[in-house]
Amino acid sequence: MTNAYDSNYLEKARNALGSMLDYAVYDLHYDLTTYWEIFLASPVAARFERGEASVIAGKSGVELALMATDRQQNYSRPSFSEGKSEEFWTGWALAYYQWKTCLSFSQITGLISIEEIRTLYSPFHEMDIRQFCDRMSSLYVQRKAGTNLKNRRLAAELSQSGLASLTGIPVRTLQQYEQGQKNINRARAEYVLALSRALCCDPLLLLENEGSGPSE
């Protein structure tokens, strides 16, 4: 398999993405999911996943965090040392998986949310990175076909945050419905109606046929 960019840049890229998430959460005080949505919407994400040397090797994590949020401020020392936080590990591990698979960050975290990746810290931070990749690929393949909600959202060319803004439904809740962690058939009626209006479809087209799943 062809990787996303030259392996000579990989370790710098992993450290940069890890430091970026750490700095965004602990110094810029963003919620991880909120910051990740900002990062995905910025030009920085596409430049990073293409392997632009000026981004993956020429910028620190702090600089990437400031670029993605379009902030102009002086460098300040990060609160945590590199490698100490779960957020650092999340970026460090995700950068490797993105490099290995050549998938975009949006493709990956559209199926496996950034919060869910963070929960993999234990036990995978103590394991070989290949075991983390195996787990990620297993989750990705299981979910790739997509739920009706995800397929309708993608067809409408809406991000999860965009759909959340239109409906008032939290991004995390939308992620859980799309990933099958919550059963949309048991969602609140007002949620289903809001989604159907935003996606211009009959509410029944958002429901799944499986019949069982996690309760609301």
Side-chain angles (χ1 to χ4, degrees):
M1 175 186 291
T2 301
N3 300 125
Y5 45 85
D6 193 294
S7 61
N8 290 329
Y9 294 111
L10 179 58
E11 280 310 306
K12 288 185 177 180
R14 296 175 75 186
N15 285 321
L17 200 70
S19 297
M20 179 191 77
L21 292 186
D22 184 289
Y23 190 77
V25 171
Y26 293 103
D27 293 271
L28 299 182
H29 306 295
Y30 281 100
D31 169 78
L32 180 61
T33 296
T34 300
Y35 174 75
W36 189 250
E37 290 283 340
I38 292 170
F39 172 71
L40 292 181
S42 77
V44 181
R47 293 174 65 189
F48 193 105
E49 61 200 18
R50 287 197 303 265
E52 286 190 22
S54 62
V55 172
I56 63 174
K59 299 291 183 183
S60 69
V62 172
E63 290 172 317
L64 292 179
L66 297 178
M67 287 171 60
T69 55
D70 198 27
R71 291 192 180 199
Q72 300 295 325
Q73 67 183 62
N74 294 328
Y75 171 84
S76 60
R77 187 176 181 83
S79 298
F80 285 168
S81 300
E82 279 193 356
K84 297 296 185 182
S85 71
E86 293 183 7
E87 289 75 17
F88 178 91
W89 177 86
T90 299
W92 181 82
L94 179 55
Y96 185 93
Y97 187 70
Q98 190 276 321
W99 168 81
K100 179 179 173 64
T101 61
C102 294
L103 295 167
S104 70
F105 288 123
S106 291
Q107 287 174 309
I108 297 168
T109 57
L111 295 178
I112 311 165
S113 73
I114 195 70
E115 288 282 0
E116 185 175 4
I117 295 171
R118 179 165 60 176
T119 68
L120 297 178
Y121 173 82
S122 182
F124 287 99
H125 75 287
E126 297 180 337
M127 299 182 182
D128 189 284
I129 190 65
R130 289 172 294 185
Q131 292 176 283
F132 166 77
C133 290
D134 288 345
R135 177 58 176 159
M136 289 287 288
S137 293
S138 175
L139 291 170
Y140 187 84
V141 169
Q142 289 172 19
R143 299 169 183 177
K144 188 177 179 181
T147 59
N148 291 334
L149 174 60
K150 177 177 173 58
N151 292 336
R152 289 280 171 178
R153 176 179 64 77
L154 293 177
E157 299 184 346
L158 284 171
S159 67
Q160 289 176 333
S161 59
L163 185 56
S165 296
L166 289 173
T167 60
I169 300 172
V171 171
R172 180 60 182 145
T173 300
L174 293 176
Q175 290 171 342
Q176 290 172 324
Y177 287 140
E178 289 195 358
Q179 295 166 8
Q181 296 173 6
K182 284 188 174 183
N183 188 349
I184 196 169
N185 293 9
R186 301 179 185 178
R188 301 175 188 173
E190 59 266 31
Y191 276 12
V192 178
L193 290 173
L195 289 167
S196 69
R197 287 193 293 267
L199 298 172
C200 301
C201 68
D202 189 295
L204 293 177
L205 296 178
L206 298 174
L207 304 183
E208 299 295 331
N209 295 322
E210 287 120 2
S212 63
S215 60
E216 176 67 29

